[in-house]
Amino acid sequence: RTAVGCLLELAFKVAAGELKNGFAIIRPPGHHAEESTAMGFCFFNSVAISAKLLQQRLSVGRIL
């Protein structure tokens, strides 16, 4: 939860223009997590959660 929260904080600050860019060094990275299943040490797919919330809350269309 802390990793997801840190990435969300960073993503929203960059999207809002408070920061020019950012780089999150967090654990777990989420690359093993499925949409509805935790795998390995990844309980949440941090990147997918951040992307979805940026799309929903800030109407961001494209995310790299």
Side-chain angles (χ1 to χ4, degrees):
R1 291 183 292 178
T2 300
V4 174
C6 290
L7 184 56
L8 287 173
E9 183 76 19
L10 176 61
F12 275 87
K13 285 187 178 206
V14 170
E18 292 180 47
L19 297 172
K20 183 178 178 183
N21 57 41
F23 186 84
I25 302 172
I26 55 174
R27 179 80 181 150
H31 65 278
H32 291 122
E34 298 286 328
E35 182 178 323
S36 60
T37 307
M39 295 180 75
F41 291 107
C42 302
F43 294 100
F44 305 105
N45 189 327
S46 306
V47 174
I49 292 169
S50 299
K52 189 67 166 181
L53 285 175
L54 285 171
Q55 289 173 332
Q56 289 176 343
R57 295 186 183 171
L58 299 180
S59 299
V60 174
R62 295 173 55 177
I63 298 171
L64 172 64

